[in-house]
Amino acid sequence: ELKVEQNPLFLSMQEGKNYTIYCNYSTTSDRLYWYRQDPGKSLESLFVLLSNGAVKQEGRLMASLDTKARLSTLHITAAVHDLSATYFCAGENYGGSQGNLIFGKGTKLSVKP
Amino acid sequence: DTEVTQTPKHLVMGMTNKKSLKCEQHMGHRAMYWYKQKAKKPPELMFVYSYEKLSINESVPSRFSPECPNSSLLNLHLHALQPEDSALYLCASSIRTVGNTIYFGEGSWLTVV
């Protein structure tokens, strides 16, 4: 069964700094997803990574996938307060039905001035 | 338009009540899901519908009863719930084929008293 581990679980950053959130998964996963969740809100899709070596960027966020290492990273460049949220990575069981996402515990990011 | 609409946004119900959560999408997606999220926890899959047929039931108690009347609508019927069922219930949808983004609705906050 797929297990997904994120670290760190809590991250306090200063504005303007860079940092990386790591997502390790235990078995082969077809795809790796990153979502953002603001307090009391739903999940906003950030990235879908479909293959080894995939890299996607949107604004100050960049996600990558290394299927050999079973590792995905979410890199934050020059953080701003608006990025404060909880970030989840999720894998999908290989060969399983789509939508059966296994989420990590989430990384609560707080960006301070 | 990448919108999944859920109603109601908030619901308080007694343990003997019968209520329903509703979800609607008009993106032509043929896969729809119910997830449950407890406070400060990641979402957990409950049900998956593919082409209006139930394809995954993650051992959810029978007091939760899903229904997919057509390709745009998904309901979750609730009966005789327990206080521990209080959570955020998230509906999501995606195009049938795997590897596509899974879009989440805003969620329905359920409190069982």
Coordinates of all heavy atoms in Angstrom, one line a residue, chain B residues 43-85:
Chain B
P43 N -7.0 14.8 3.7 CA -8.3 14.1 3.2 C -8.1 12.6 3.0 O -7.1 12.1 2.7 CB -8.5 14.8 1.8 CG -7.7 16.0 1.8 CD -6.5 15.7 2.7
E44 N -9.2 11.9 3.2 CA -9.3 10.5 3.0 C -10.4 10.1 2.1 O -11.5 10.6 2.2 CB -9.5 9.8 4.3 CG -8.3 9.9 5.3 CD -8.5 9.2 6.6 OE1 -9.7 8.8 6.9 OE2 -7.6 8.9 7.3
L45 N -10.1 9.3 1.1 CA -11.1 8.9 0.1 C -12.2 8.1 0.8 O -12.0 7.2 1.6 CB -10.4 8.1 -1.0 CG -11.3 7.6 -2.1 CD1 -11.8 8.8 -3.0 CD2 -10.6 6.6 -3.0
M46 N -13.5 8.4 0.4 CA -14.6 7.6 0.8 C -15.2 6.7 -0.4 O -15.3 5.5 -0.3 CB -15.7 8.5 1.3 CG -15.3 9.3 2.5 SD -16.6 10.4 3.0 CE -17.8 9.3 3.7
F47 N -15.5 7.4 -1.5 CA -16.2 6.8 -2.6 C -15.6 7.3 -3.9 O -15.3 8.5 -4.0 CB -17.7 7.0 -2.6 CG -18.4 6.5 -1.3 CD1 -18.8 7.4 -0.4 CD2 -18.6 5.2 -1.1 CE1 -19.5 7.0 0.8 CE2 -19.3 4.7 0.0 CZ -19.7 5.7 1.0
V48 N -15.7 6.5 -4.9 CA -15.4 6.9 -6.3 C -16.5 6.4 -7.2 O -16.8 5.3 -7.2 CB -14.0 6.4 -6.8 CG1 -13.8 6.9 -8.2 CG2 -12.9 6.8 -5.9
Y49 N -17.0 7.3 -8.0 CA -17.9 7.0 -9.1 C -17.2 7.2 -10.4 O -16.6 8.3 -10.7 CB -19.2 7.8 -9.0 CG -20.2 7.3 -8.1 CD1 -20.2 7.5 -6.8 CD2 -21.3 6.5 -8.6 CE1 -21.2 7.0 -5.9 CE2 -22.2 6.0 -7.8 CZ -22.2 6.2 -6.4 OH -23.1 5.7 -5.6
S50 N -17.3 6.2 -11.3 CA -16.8 6.3 -12.6 C -17.9 6.0 -13.6 O -18.5 4.9 -13.5 CB -15.6 5.4 -12.8 OG -15.1 5.4 -14.1
Y51 N -18.3 6.9 -14.5 CA -19.4 6.8 -15.4 C -20.7 6.4 -14.6 O -21.4 5.4 -15.0 CB -19.1 5.7 -16.5 CG -18.1 6.3 -17.5 CD1 -16.8 6.2 -17.4 CD2 -18.6 6.9 -18.7 CE1 -15.9 6.8 -18.3 CE2 -17.8 7.4 -19.6 CZ -16.4 7.4 -19.4 OH -15.6 7.9 -20.4
E52 N -20.9 7.1 -13.6 CA -22.1 7.0 -12.7 C -22.2 5.6 -12.0 O -23.2 5.3 -11.4 CB -23.4 7.2 -13.5 CG -23.5 8.6 -14.1 CD -23.1 8.7 -15.5 OE1 -23.8 8.1 -16.4 OE2 -22.0 9.3 -15.8
K53 N -21.1 4.9 -12.0 CA -21.1 3.6 -11.3 C -20.1 3.7 -10.2 O -19.0 4.1 -10.3 CB -20.8 2.4 -12.2 CG -21.9 2.2 -13.2 CD -21.6 0.9 -14.0 CE -22.7 0.6 -15.0 NZ -22.5 -0.5 -15.9
L54 N -20.5 3.1 -9.0 CA -19.6 3.1 -7.9 C -18.5 2.2 -8.1 O -18.7 1.0 -8.4 CB -20.4 2.7 -6.6 CG -19.6 2.7 -5.3 CD1 -19.2 4.1 -4.9 CD2 -20.5 2.1 -4.2
S55 N -17.3 2.7 -8.1 CA -16.1 1.9 -8.4 C -15.2 1.6 -7.2 O -14.5 0.7 -7.1 CB -15.3 2.4 -9.5 OG -14.7 3.7 -9.2
I56 N -15.3 2.5 -6.2 CA -14.5 2.3 -5.0 C -15.4 2.7 -3.8 O -16.0 3.8 -3.8 CB -13.2 3.2 -5.0 CG1 -12.2 2.7 -6.0 CG2 -12.6 3.2 -3.6 CD1 -10.9 3.5 -6.0
N57 N -15.4 1.8 -2.8 CA -16.0 2.2 -1.5 C -15.0 1.8 -0.5 O -14.7 0.6 -0.3 CB -17.3 1.3 -1.3 CG -17.9 1.5 0.0 OD1 -17.3 2.0 1.0 ND2 -19.2 1.2 0.2
E58 N -14.4 2.8 0.1 CA -13.3 2.5 1.1 C -13.8 2.1 2.4 O -13.5 2.7 3.4 CB -12.4 3.8 1.2 CG -11.6 4.1 -0.1 CD -10.5 3.1 -0.3 OE1 -9.8 2.7 0.6 OE2 -10.4 2.6 -1.5
S59 N -14.6 1.0 2.4 CA -15.0 0.5 3.7 C -15.7 1.5 4.6 O -15.5 1.6 5.8 CB -13.9 -0.2 4.5 OG -13.3 -1.2 3.7
V60 N -16.5 2.3 4.0 CA -17.2 3.4 4.7 C -18.5 2.8 5.3 O -19.2 2.0 4.7 CB -17.6 4.5 3.7 CG1 -18.4 5.6 4.4 CG2 -16.4 5.1 3.0
P61 N -18.8 3.2 6.6 CA -20.0 2.7 7.2 C -21.3 3.0 6.4 O -21.3 4.0 5.7 CB -20.0 3.4 8.6 CG -18.6 3.9 8.8 CD -18.0 4.1 7.4
S62 N -22.2 2.1 6.6 CA -23.5 2.2 5.8 C -24.3 3.4 6.1 O -25.2 3.8 5.4 CB -24.3 0.9 5.9 OG -24.7 0.8 7.3
R63 N -24.0 4.1 7.2 CA -24.7 5.3 7.5 C -24.4 6.5 6.5 O -25.1 7.5 6.5 CB -24.4 5.8 8.9 CG -23.0 6.0 9.3 CD -22.9 6.3 10.8 NE -21.5 6.7 11.2 CZ -20.6 5.8 11.6 NH1 -21.0 4.5 11.7 NH2 -19.4 6.2 12.0
F64 N -23.4 6.2 5.7 CA -23.1 7.1 4.6 C -23.5 6.3 3.3 O -23.0 5.2 3.0 CB -21.6 7.4 4.5 CG -21.1 8.2 5.6 CD1 -20.5 7.6 6.7 CD2 -21.1 9.6 5.6 CE1 -20.1 8.3 7.8 CE2 -20.6 10.3 6.6 CZ -20.1 9.7 7.8
S65 N -24.3 7.0 2.5 CA -24.8 6.3 1.3 C -24.7 7.2 0.1 O -25.4 8.2 0.0 CB -26.3 5.9 1.5 OG -26.8 5.4 0.3
P66 N -23.8 6.9 -0.8 CA -23.6 7.8 -2.0 C -24.6 7.5 -3.1 O -25.2 6.4 -3.2 CB -22.2 7.4 -2.5 CG -22.0 6.0 -2.1 CD -22.8 5.8 -0.9
E67 N -24.8 8.5 -3.9 CA -25.7 8.3 -5.1 C -25.2 9.2 -6.2 O -24.8 10.4 -6.0 CB -27.1 8.7 -4.7 CG -28.1 8.6 -5.8 CD -29.4 9.4 -5.5 OE1 -29.4 10.3 -4.6 OE2 -30.4 9.1 -6.2
C68 N -25.2 8.7 -7.4 CA -24.8 9.5 -8.6 C -26.0 9.4 -9.6 O -26.0 8.6 -10.4 CB -23.5 8.9 -9.2 SG -22.8 9.9 -10.4
P69 N -26.9 10.4 -9.5 CA -28.1 10.4 -10.4 C -27.8 10.5 -11.8 O -28.5 10.0 -12.7 CB -28.9 11.6 -9.9 CG -28.3 11.9 -8.5 CD -26.9 11.5 -8.6
N70 N -26.7 11.3 -12.1 CA -26.3 11.5 -13.5 C -24.8 11.9 -13.5 O -24.2 12.1 -12.4 CB -27.2 12.5 -14.3 CG -27.2 13.9 -13.7 OD1 -26.2 14.5 -13.4 ND2 -28.4 14.4 -13.4
S71 N -24.3 12.2 -14.7 CA -22.8 12.4 -14.8 C -22.4 13.8 -14.1 O -21.2 14.0 -13.9 CB -22.4 12.4 -16.2 OG -23.1 13.4 -17.0
S72 N -23.4 14.6 -13.8 CA -23.0 15.9 -13.3 C -23.3 16.0 -11.8 O -22.8 17.0 -11.2 CB -23.8 17.0 -14.0 OG -23.6 17.1 -15.3
L73 N -24.0 15.1 -11.2 CA -24.4 15.2 -9.8 C -23.9 14.1 -9.0 O -23.9 12.9 -9.5 CB -26.0 15.2 -9.8 CG -26.7 16.4 -10.4 CD1 -28.2 16.2 -10.4 CD2 -26.3 17.7 -9.7
L74 N -23.6 14.4 -7.8 CA -23.2 13.4 -6.8 C -23.8 13.8 -5.4 O -23.7 14.9 -5.0 CB -21.7 13.3 -6.7 CG -21.1 12.2 -5.8 CD1 -21.4 10.8 -6.4 CD2 -19.6 12.4 -5.7
N75 N -24.5 12.8 -4.8 CA -25.0 13.1 -3.5 C -24.4 12.2 -2.5 O -23.9 11.1 -2.8 CB -26.6 12.8 -3.5 CG -27.3 13.7 -4.5 OD1 -27.0 14.9 -4.6 ND2 -28.3 13.1 -5.2
L76 N -24.5 12.6 -1.2 CA -24.0 11.8 -0.1 C -25.1 11.8 0.9 O -25.4 12.9 1.5 CB -22.7 12.2 0.5 CG -22.1 11.3 1.6 CD1 -21.8 10.0 1.0 CD2 -20.9 12.0 2.2
H77 N -25.9 10.7 1.1 CA -27.0 10.7 2.0 C -26.5 10.2 3.4 O -25.7 9.3 3.5 CB -28.0 9.7 1.5 CG -28.6 10.0 0.2 ND1 -29.2 11.2 -0.1 CD2 -28.5 9.4 -1.0 CE1 -29.6 11.3 -1.4 NE2 -29.1 10.2 -2.0
L78 N -26.9 11.0 4.4 CA -26.4 10.8 5.7 C -27.6 10.3 6.7 O -28.6 11.0 6.6 CB -25.8 12.1 6.3 CG -24.9 12.8 5.3 CD1 -24.6 14.2 5.8 CD2 -23.7 12.1 5.1
H79 N -27.3 9.3 7.4 CA -28.4 8.9 8.3 C -27.8 8.2 9.6 O -26.9 7.4 9.5 CB -29.3 7.8 7.6 CG -30.3 7.2 8.5 ND1 -31.2 7.9 9.3 CD2 -30.5 5.9 8.8 CE1 -31.9 7.1 10.0 NE2 -31.6 5.9 9.7
A80 N -28.3 8.6 10.7 CA -27.8 8.1 12.0 C -26.3 8.2 12.2 O -25.6 7.3 12.6 CB -28.3 6.6 12.1
L81 N -25.9 9.4 11.9 CA -24.4 9.7 12.1 C -24.0 9.8 13.6 O -24.9 10.0 14.4 CB -24.0 11.0 11.3 CG -24.2 10.9 9.8 CD1 -23.5 12.1 9.2 CD2 -23.7 9.6 9.2
Q82 N -22.8 9.7 13.8 CA -22.2 9.8 15.1 C -21.4 11.1 15.2 O -20.9 11.7 14.2 CB -21.2 8.7 15.4 CG -21.9 7.3 15.2 CD -23.0 7.1 16.2 OE1 -22.8 7.3 17.4 NE2 -24.2 6.7 15.8
P83 N -21.2 11.7 16.4 CA -20.4 12.9 16.6 C -19.0 12.8 15.9 O -18.6 13.8 15.4 CB -20.3 13.1 18.1 CG -21.6 12.4 18.6 CD -21.8 11.3 17.7
E84 N -18.4 11.7 15.9 CA -17.1 11.5 15.3 C -17.1 11.6 13.8 O -16.1 11.7 13.1 CB -16.4 10.2 15.7 CG -17.2 9.0 15.3 CD -18.1 8.4 16.5 OE1 -18.5 9.3 17.3 OE2 -18.3 7.2 16.5
D85 N -18.3 11.7 13.2 CA -18.4 11.9 11.8 C -18.3 13.3 11.4 O -18.3 13.7 10.2 CB -19.8 11.3 11.2 CG -19.8 9.8 11.4 OD1 -18.8 9.1 11.2 OD2 -20.9 9.3 11.7

